[in-house]
Amino acid sequence: MSKRALSSNVTPSKNKRFKAQHNQHQIDHFFASPKAKQPSTTSTSTPEFVQGSSRSKAATTAPKHPATPEVIDVDAFESLNSAPVAAPEPVSPVKKKSTPSQPLRVAKVSESAIGIDTYSALDVDPVVYDQSQPSGSSKAPYSLLTRALVSLSQTRSRIAIINTLTNVLRTIILKHPTSLLPAVYLLSNTLAPQFVSIELGLGASILSRSIQQISGLSPAALKKLYNTTGDPGDVAFAAKSNLRTLVPHPPLTVPYVYESMIRIANCKGPGAAKEKQKIVEKLLLAAIGEEVRYLMRTLCQNLRVGAVRTSILTALARAIVLTPPLGVSTDPSSGEIEHYASSDLLTKLKELDPSISSSKGKARDAEREELIGKFQRAESLVKQVYVKHPSYDQLIPALLEGGFDSLADRVPLTVGIPLLPMLGSPTRSLDEIYNRLGGLPFAAEFKYDGQRAQIHASRSPDGKDTIKIFSRHLEDMTSKYPDVIALVKEMFDETPKATSFVMDAEIVAIDPATGALKTFQELSNRARKDVNLQDVKILVCVFAFDLMHLNGEPLLGLTFRERRSHLRTHFTPRAKQPTDVLPIAHFNFVESCESEDGKTTIEGFLAKAVENRCEGLMIKLLDKAPVDLDAKQGRLKSLPSTYEPDIRTSAWLKLKKDYMDTIGDSLDVIPVGAWHGNGRKAQWWSPVLLALWNPTTGRPVALCKCMSGFSDVFYKSMRERYDPGSELCSKQPLWECDFGGYKPEIYFKPHEVWELKGADITESPISVAAQGLVPSSRGLSLRFPRFITTREDKGIDQSSTPSFLVDMWRSQQGRGGCGGNDDGELMDVDFEESEPEYESEVDDDT
């Protein structure tokens, strides 16, 4: 089980994603005075991609871009030091008149670039969208992408988001096909697939110095701008709007911006900071108007638009349906016309009344139904291919080359490229499990307190091994587990029948003498990367529970009983051998029992799992089952026993301690801050930061984040109470509270009390609650917290205290509770199973 940390001080430093997550601590120091000197570097080495990646070395080297002046003259910005600065409006920069003390010494801004106002609206129905957008280059202008980002940032409507993405991708496919891959990465605020180890690595000092260099503003002026606007993109926009360059700069293009990002990520060694700053300055100098704002937000890893993965895949599929790439046949005789919208179909749709064809509750015309059918088939195909091979590096070239024809065969499940894992649905009791599955046979497995791992391995005929280990979130953990690598090599030697495989497993810390299970907290004490086998101190066991690929053949379509049979046939358990000198990992199958053994046996098995420091049970349907009707929701529910990547099904059910009453008493806590939600919760606060009341200091002390147990109605009412413009909210911490390592995006005035329950009380590197009251130097936090209700009968000074939390923790220790490590993980469980509009916000492991 992957314990993904949502806090920057517990995540691995080399994150594979170019995160769009807001780091408030970094932003708050964004415009602080830079240090006098910083070690710097300059290397342009290409990132090492895993097997199967199509990214070439040439793709990571930026083409030559016309040089920009090293010395920039600017007008005076003296008003910043004497009066508050108004937040800039999203319009093109306006030239400022010079003052007598600061004569104008430079020329006007380049007029050669195409501004975003040149483009027509992108959020319209794709059927009526005009693709004849201005363009003077084979490479997509960055202004076109900026136009899309502006449109995306101004809406929460999923329809408008999908339309905007679809239309901008259609234009790029038609006029700039070579720019499609970098455009998708920039829209998704990433640099590469999740499993590729590449990080932008831009510090706040580099960005602030870059703005100062191109604008001439002092650190104090930048800080004042940020205090007024609260957004680095707005600050850069305001600073650049007063700049006049002597030499016009060529317009930015999408490939150039993306390749510049890759160059920044590749800067290593001495001089790297100066090299990165130079690249950033060139980008900012060439940007005009809104490009500056969104370029800076991209550099800050805080793009803040609703272009989540699901939306991008949907838009990509629709764009190909409406605008097939050159070379893709749409001739009816070819049989491929069913995948694409013909010109005749689009002409008929344009002639129809759009208010009828798009309105809910009205009969849709046959042509609109035909187009919707094509959309649905295309979206399903693209998403099915992506979840098995989650890399735009292969998917987009395949779409541009051959469209939808045999796409699944051209971009297959591949050893070395992780697939998105299958997920389980939460349940509260064994009774609920039996009610859901009825008499269908199932297997109950230990749900270990470890780290979920996807192991990819292959041995070539000449005996060369290729082994990769990926986390629940597809991050490459290969260098973290050399003992598992050694295990797989031994397995190949002992099991010649297996030449390649993809295995789903849980890596768990064990006692080297007895083999007893240890907690995730002890596993987390291992180094996170570049570990030498000789240095391994904490022994682990790989508990395998599924097999998705074997000897070149995918097994996803087999039932769980069949996949489990292949797993147990081709592999055998392995413990420490007398000949083992090095700490090689153990291997075993998950402990399990069958439903045929009876409900009493399953109940005893659950008790055994908890006694063995497991989190509970995983219940898995063994064979194919008919589709079940969920009477409560009034809809059909699928019960597949096949392996379904990235799907949370009712064929896998998880019964965890944290879904049941485990810590005995509840806690009364105070909401003191929150973060912006994602996916369907984008318009609400989620997660919420909760605190205890410390009577010693007379103020709250932050305990944990919570994003579970809230209904949609509660989310809406909470957003109304804690409106950003109200006196209960602030972007700055106006009210006294000990926040520890938590840096919320919005601060709440402490004034109400909520009741909270959770799985375990844990030691935390982030929380300072009860710090000094426990033997460890860390504070205590709550693992998998769940909101219960609002306590209107209590004031904040009647909330639970750190000493009360310590008493509960000691009681838990006496019961042998697992007391796992709080690394920022959250549980987002909706037992009513409300359907998300698009990509859901779930931070659980399975």
Side-chain angles (χ1 to χ4, degrees):
M1 180 190 68
S2 171
K3 309 291 182 180
R4 179 174 62 170
L6 299 186
S7 200
S8 60
N9 59 343
V10 289
T11 39
S13 60
K14 221 174 196 182
N15 199 331
K16 289 76 182 175
R17 299 181 230 180
F18 178 40
K19 296 184 177 178
Q21 193 177 41
H22 191 154
N23 187 325
Q24 186 66 40
H25 180 68
Q26 178 181 355
I27 298 300
D28 283 344
H29 292 80
F30 192 88
F31 298 104
S33 300
K35 297 178 182 177
K37 261 188 172 180
Q38 279 198 353
S40 334
T41 88
T42 119
S43 162
T44 54
S45 60
T46 304
E48 181 181 352
F49 289 167
V50 299
Q51 173 187 359
S53 177
S54 68
R55 189 189 307 278
S56 65
K57 183 173 181 180
T60 62
T61 305
K64 295 197 175 187
H65 199 62
T68 55
E70 293 296 325
V71 180
I72 304 299
D73 293 326
V74 297
D75 289 324
F77 220 95
E78 60 208 14
S79 60
L80 288 174
N81 299 315
S82 57
V85 181
E89 295 294 328
V91 294
S92 299
V94 179
K95 302 174 188 178
K96 183 182 175 182
K97 296 179 180 179
S98 61
T99 63
S101 59
Q102 293 286 337
L104 184 63
R105 297 178 292 163
V106 291
K108 63 181 181 179
V109 175
S110 167
E111 300 292 344
S112 62
I114 299 175
I116 67 167
D117 294 338
T118 311
Y119 302 104
S120 58
L122 293 172
D123 58 353
V124 299
D125 187 336
V127 171
V128 299
Y129 173 66
D130 180 13
Q131 295 183 86
S132 59
Q133 301 283 9
S135 172
S137 169
S138 61
K139 297 178 180 179
Y142 186 64
S143 55
L144 172 62
L145 205 65
T146 302
R147 181 69 179 84
L149 294 174
V150 170
S151 180
L152 291 170
S153 67
Q154 293 174 346
T155 182
R156 294 289 187 184
S157 165
R158 184 170 184 259
I159 294 176
I161 289 172
I162 296 297
N163 286 347
T164 299
L165 291 171
T166 300
N167 291 331
V168 72
L169 294 180
R170 287 181 66 194
T171 298
I172 294 174
I173 291 170
L174 179 66
K175 296 190 173 186
H176 321 280
T178 59
S179 300
L180 183 60
L181 181 59
V184 168
Y185 275 126
L186 290 177
L187 283 169
S188 59
N189 210 18
T190 58
L191 287 178
Q194 292 174 254
F195 52 87
V196 174
S197 300
I198 186 169
E199 183 182 16
L200 193 61
L202 272 179
S205 60
I206 293 176
L207 295 171
S208 60
R209 284 201 305 266
S210 297
I211 297 179
Q212 291 174 49
Q213 178 66 22
I214 69 165
S215 67
L217 298 182
S218 66
L222 285 178
K223 188 66 175 178
K224 180 170 287 190
L225 266 177
Y226 175 67
N227 289 339
T228 303
T229 65
D231 178 79
D234 294 341
V235 173
F237 178 92
K240 180 69 188 296
S241 67
N242 290 271
L243 174 68
R244 278 88 165 156
T245 56
L246 190 61
V247 180
H249 296 280
L252 286 175
T253 65
V254 168
Y256 178 72
V257 172
Y258 174 71
E259 289 154 4
S260 296
M261 302 288 183
I262 295 295
R263 288 174 57 206
I264 290 171
N266 289 336
C267 289
K268 308 294 179 185
K274 289 184 179 178
E275 184 66 23
K276 289 181 179 182
Q277 182 177 337
K278 184 177 179 181
I279 298 171
V280 171
E281 288 175 12
K282 287 184 177 181
L283 287 171
L284 292 176
L285 282 169
I288 62 170
E290 287 295 323
E291 292 179 349
V292 180
R293 193 191 311 274
Y294 289 93
L295 183 60
M296 180 53 67
R297 289 178 181 175
T298 298
L299 292 169
C300 290
Q301 308 177 29
N302 186 31
L303 196 52
R304 300 187 314 181
V305 296
V308 294
R309 185 193 74 214
T310 305
S311 299
I312 287 179
L313 291 174
T314 298
L316 183 60
R318 293 186 181 187
I320 298 291
V321 169
L322 296 168
T323 309
L326 293 175
V328 174
S329 175
T330 57
D331 187 337
S333 61
S334 68
E336 288 301 310
I337 190 63
E338 64 172 322
H339 293 109
Y340 307 102
S342 66
S343 56
D344 290 342
L345 176 61
L346 294 177
T347 300
K348 291 178 182 178
L349 285 169
K350 289 178 182 179
E351 295 172 352
L352 296 172
D353 182 356
S355 63
I356 295 178
S357 61
S358 61
S359 298
K360 294 181 179 180
K362 295 184 179 180
R364 291 186 297 216
D365 48 82
E367 288 81 5
R368 175 65 63 169
E369 290 291 352
E370 180 182 351
L371 180 62
I372 290 174
K374 292 179 184 291
F375 280 166
Q376 291 173 341
R377 289 191 295 272
E379 292 164 21
S380 176
L381 173 61
V382 169
K383 290 175 182 177
Q384 286 176 13
V385 170
Y386 183 87
V387 296
K388 298 174 186 176
H389 192 121
S391 172
Y392 294 125
D393 287 350
Q394 286 80 41
L395 177 61
I396 288 179
L399 285 170
L400 290 175
E401 181 181 348
F404 300 121
D405 185 28
S406 303
L407 182 63
D409 296 330
R410 291 183 288 127
V411 189
L413 169 62
T414 304
V415 177
I417 295 182
L419 67 159
L420 293 168
M422 185 172 175
L423 306 171
S425 298
T427 53
R428 287 176 171 171
S429 65
L430 284 173
D431 290 337
E432 182 180 343
I433 290 171
Y434 278 96
N435 289 335
R436 286 196 183 194
L437 300 183
L440 298 174
F442 64 81
E445 299 177 343
F446 274 9
K447 192 170 194 323
Y448 295 95
D449 188 22
Q451 184 167 29
R452 188 170 179 178
Q454 195 178 118
I455 303 174
H456 291 238
S458 64
R459 171 166 284 186
S460 62
D462 61 0
K464 183 179 179 181
D465 295 327
T466 302
I467 304 167
K468 289 285 183 180
I469 305 172
F470 301 100
S471 73
R472 151 78 176 84
H473 301 286
L474 311 190
E475 296 170 353
D476 193 336
M477 303 189 298
T478 306
S479 68
K480 180 180 179 179
Y481 290 110
D483 44 345
V484 177
I485 300 298
L487 165 69
V488 175
K489 291 179 182 290
E490 295 279 354
M491 292 167 63
F492 273 135
D493 293 337
E494 298 169 359
T495 315
K497 292 185 294 183
T499 59
S500 67
F501 63 85
V502 177
M503 181 185 293
D504 217 345
E506 194 87 5
I507 297 177
V508 185
I510 59 173
D511 187 302
T514 64
L517 304 179
K518 293 188 175 183
T519 66
F520 173 76
Q521 181 177 353
E522 292 171 274
L523 178 65
S524 67
N525 289 330
R526 286 178 54 128
R528 296 182 180 274
K529 60 180 180 178
D530 301 327
V531 180
N532 293 319
L533 183 58
Q534 297 84 352
D535 299 331
V536 172
K537 304 299 182 186
I538 300 173
L539 190 66
V540 301
C541 181
V542 176
F543 290 98
F545 58 82
D546 216 324
L547 193 65
M548 297 89 84
H549 194 276
L550 179 66
N551 297 337
E553 295 294 328
L555 307 181
L556 304 184
L558 301 181
T559 65
F560 178 61
R561 190 189 295 274
E562 293 169 330
R563 300 196 308 277
R564 190 177 64 172
S565 175
H566 280 292
L567 177 65
R568 295 178 177 179
T569 300
H570 288 82
F571 302 93
T572 55
R574 187 189 189 285
K576 182 177 175 59
Q577 306 296 319
T579 57
D580 289 342
V581 178
L582 297 173
I584 299 176
H586 292 199
F587 177 80
N588 208 339
F589 306 117
V590 296
E591 190 166 349
S592 64
C593 69
E594 310 292 306
S595 59
E596 286 89 343
D597 297 335
K599 187 174 181 180
T600 302
T601 302
I602 300 294
E603 290 173 345
F605 190 65
L606 172 60
K608 181 181 178 182
V610 175
E611 290 171 3
N612 281 272
R613 293 185 169 183
C614 292
E615 295 184 319
L617 298 181
M618 284 298 300
I619 307 298
K620 299 179 180 179
L621 195 65
L622 285 168
D623 305 305
K624 292 181 179 179
V627 174
D628 179 44
L629 177 64
D630 183 353
K632 180 180 177 181
Q633 297 293 329
R635 64 174 185 269
L636 295 177
K637 292 188 67 178
S638 176
L639 293 175
S641 62
T642 53
Y643 194 97
E644 303 294 328
D646 201 36
I647 294 180
R648 192 175 294 277
T649 76
S650 292
W652 279 21
L653 301 174
K654 50 185 175 179
L655 180 60
K656 296 176 63 177
K657 293 191 314 173
D658 30 275
Y659 301 158
M660 302 181 287
D661 295 333
T662 54
I663 64 172
D665 208 344
S666 60
L667 289 166
D668 293 327
V669 294
I670 309 163
V672 293
W675 288 259
H676 294 281
N678 294 316
R680 76 181 187 92
K681 298 181 181 179
Q683 71 271 34
W684 301 324
W685 299 124
S686 180
V688 181
L689 181 60
L690 302 173
L692 302 175
W693 179 257
N694 189 342
T696 303
T697 61
R699 58 176 177 260
V701 54
L703 171 68
C704 63
K705 300 176 184 178
C706 180
M707 62 192 300
S708 179
F710 302 112
S711 66
D712 288 0
V713 173
F714 186 86
Y715 270 127
K716 292 176 183 176
S717 66
M718 178 173 60
R719 179 68 186 205
E720 291 173 358
R721 293 198 308 277
Y722 294 105
D723 184 80
S726 73
E727 60 181 11
L728 299 179
C729 274
S730 172
K731 290 184 179 180
Q732 305 298 328
L734 302 181
W735 304 280
E736 288 190 347
C737 179
D738 296 326
F739 289 100
Y742 296 107
K743 300 295 178 182
E745 295 176 354
I746 196 77
Y747 295 87
F748 294 167
K749 180 180 180 180
H751 77 289
E752 63 176 322
V753 178
W754 295 353
E755 185 179 359
L756 195 71
K757 295 203 74 170
D760 298 290
I761 299 169
T762 72
E763 295 180 14
S764 169
I766 311 168
S767 171
V768 292
Q771 193 174 56
L773 301 180
V774 293
S776 170
S777 60
R778 296 180 171 186
L780 295 181
S781 185
L782 197 61
R783 193 176 186 213
F784 295 126
R786 185 172 73 253
F787 171 79
I788 304 299
T789 187
T790 301
R791 294 299 304 268
E792 298 181 357
D793 57 324
K794 286 192 173 186
I796 61 172
D797 57 346
Q798 297 173 298
S799 302
S800 299
T801 63
S803 59
F804 179 75
L805 180 70
V806 171
D807 290 341
M808 294 176 64
W809 177 73
R810 287 174 177 159
S811 175
Q812 171 186 287
Q813 297 296 99
R815 298 196 310 269
C818 74
N821 182 57
D822 172 50
D823 57 355
E825 61 189 328
L826 298 177
M827 177 181 70
D828 187 7
V829 178
D830 184 356
F831 289 105
E832 296 182 355
E833 298 181 338
S834 59
E835 289 294 326
E837 292 182 16
Y838 50 103
E839 191 167 358
S840 61
E841 179 183 359
V842 176
D843 290 287
D844 201 8
D845 55 311
T846 52

